[in-house]
Amino acid sequence: MADTPEMLFEHARAAFLEACALDITTPKPGNVSTHSPGHGMHAAQFLASADASLDALFARGARVGQRILDAVTRTRAAVGCNTNLGIVLLVAPLAAALEDTGARPLSAPAWRAAVGAVLSRLDLEDARLAYRAIALANPGGLGDAPEQSVHAPPTIGLRDAMRLASERDSIARQYANGFADLFDTGLAAYREATAQMRGNAPQAAYESAMLNVFLAFLGGWPDSHIVRKHGLTLAQSVTLMAREQHARWRQTPSAGRLATSDPQLDAWDAELKARAINPGTSADLAVATLFVARCVERPG
């Protein structure tokens, strides 16, 4: 039986919270997790941020910019720091597009097409609202640009502004390319991991998928957050290491691929945190991918 709009809406809300929870239950090198805090933050802040931003991101009928601003405002009120700006920027148009998919049950191609339609409608007001959100979150270096800096009022629509930043920021690139990295690279990595982990406990399979998606993004191109904080050369070195670690990890039999039992990844995690290197953009892309993947799967 086809899902009703209400069933789809509730499933999407649950999928978002699940993806955010997997983000911190899965140890990912350089990221905060329940196993390893870092960068002055801890896991409880990320869970609280997901809860705080939920209603804003899934406010039916709201424009994308308003969802972004309200989600960031509520997150700041809940945890007092920037824990989820990248996730919010990615999920807001995805959530808005759910209202336009028409397809029941939801499919990735239908959702992708709806996302494209949502992005094409983004206007100057969306840019104004999103700029306010980015300024409020105050992420170091994000939004600094020779054109359409968030420190000045925008003069173009949000998608056009994101296009200007797309060559230097992977989240902005999703607005420019219709979320191609999520629907192509991200979902492929998710499906690979879940297929290989079939027969294992669901939580282990999903954590394995989260790690596989994260390493696919981190090894695919330099992490934007690392580039902003430490420069391109260091970010490229992290990307190369991610490729090596990912290739090794993928050769591990499924029974030994649980994210909590890889000493080499644990050691790399400690090294990255000791050097204040946080692959935050790769984590944001992974969360958004897991959100999409869990949405297109049937509940249960």
Side-chain angles (χ1 to χ4, degrees):
M1 184 177 69
D3 294 339
T4 66
E6 186 62 31
M7 290 169 61
L8 175 62
F9 183 73
E10 291 305 318
H11 181 43
R13 286 169 58 93
F16 171 73
L17 293 177
E18 181 181 5
C20 292
L22 284 167
D23 180 37
I24 59 95
T25 60
T26 306
K28 305 187 305 302
N31 289 164
V32 173
S33 73
T34 52
H35 306 273
S36 174
H39 315 294
M41 296 178 288
H42 53 83
Q45 290 173 299
F46 287 80
L47 291 175
S49 299
D51 289 336
S53 62
L54 178 66
D55 288 342
L57 287 171
F58 292 89
R60 292 197 232 193
R63 62 166 60 240
V64 168
Q66 193 66 58
R67 294 173 195 241
I68 293 169
L69 177 58
D70 289 349
V72 169
T73 300
R74 295 178 189 187
T75 297
R76 293 288 294 189
V79 301
C81 62
N82 171 31
T83 51
N84 65 353
L85 175 62
I87 293 170
V88 166
L89 289 170
L90 290 167
V91 171
L94 289 167
L98 283 173
E99 300 175 24
D100 295 341
T101 57
R104 303 291 186 273
L106 179 66
S107 69
W111 196 357
R112 186 173 186 170
V115 169
V118 166
L119 295 173
S120 70
R121 296 196 297 266
L122 296 178
D123 59 16
L124 181 59
E125 182 61 17
D126 287 298
R128 289 177 179 138
L129 294 165
Y131 274 36
R132 286 172 56 192
I134 294 169
L136 177 62
N138 193 30
L142 183 62
D144 294 334
E147 293 182 85
Q148 300 299 318
S149 167
V150 298
H151 304 297
T155 59
I156 58 177
L158 181 56
R159 190 179 199 185
D160 290 334
M162 290 292 194
R163 283 194 178 107
L164 292 175
S166 62
E167 290 190 6
R168 64 179 182 273
D169 186 272
S170 299
I171 292 174
R173 185 167 70 239
Q174 306 318 305
Y175 281 71
N177 69 14
F179 281 62
D181 296 330
L182 263 71
F183 284 101
D184 294 334
T185 301
L187 286 184
Y190 174 86
R191 289 164 180 154
E192 175 193 55
T194 52
Q196 292 176 348
M197 292 293 288
R198 191 170 291 122
N200 287 274
Q203 182 69 17
Y206 293 137
E207 289 184 3
S208 178
M210 172 62 84
L211 182 57
N212 198 48
V213 172
F214 169 79
L215 290 173
F217 283 131
L218 186 56
W221 51 81
D223 184 275
S224 303
H225 185 73
I226 298 177
V227 173
R228 284 194 298 273
K229 293 288 189 178
H230 301 281
L232 180 59
T233 299
L234 189 147
Q236 289 173 328
S237 72
V238 173
T239 295
L240 292 175
M241 177 59 75
R243 289 176 187 169
E244 294 178 11
Q245 292 282 2
H246 195 196
R248 176 195 59 79
W249 180 80
R250 290 169 75 188
Q251 296 303 312
T252 306
S254 62
R257 284 179 57 178
L258 304 186
T260 54
S261 61
D262 192 303
Q264 291 191 48
L265 290 179
D266 290 344
W268 190 32
D269 173 62
E271 176 190 345
L272 289 172
K273 286 172 179 168
R275 299 170 64 191
I277 299 171
N278 179 10
T281 303
S282 299
D284 295 338
L285 291 166
V287 170
T289 297
L290 268 287
F291 165 61
V292 169
R294 297 297 288 137
C295 276
V296 298
E297 292 177 349
R298 299 287 294 179

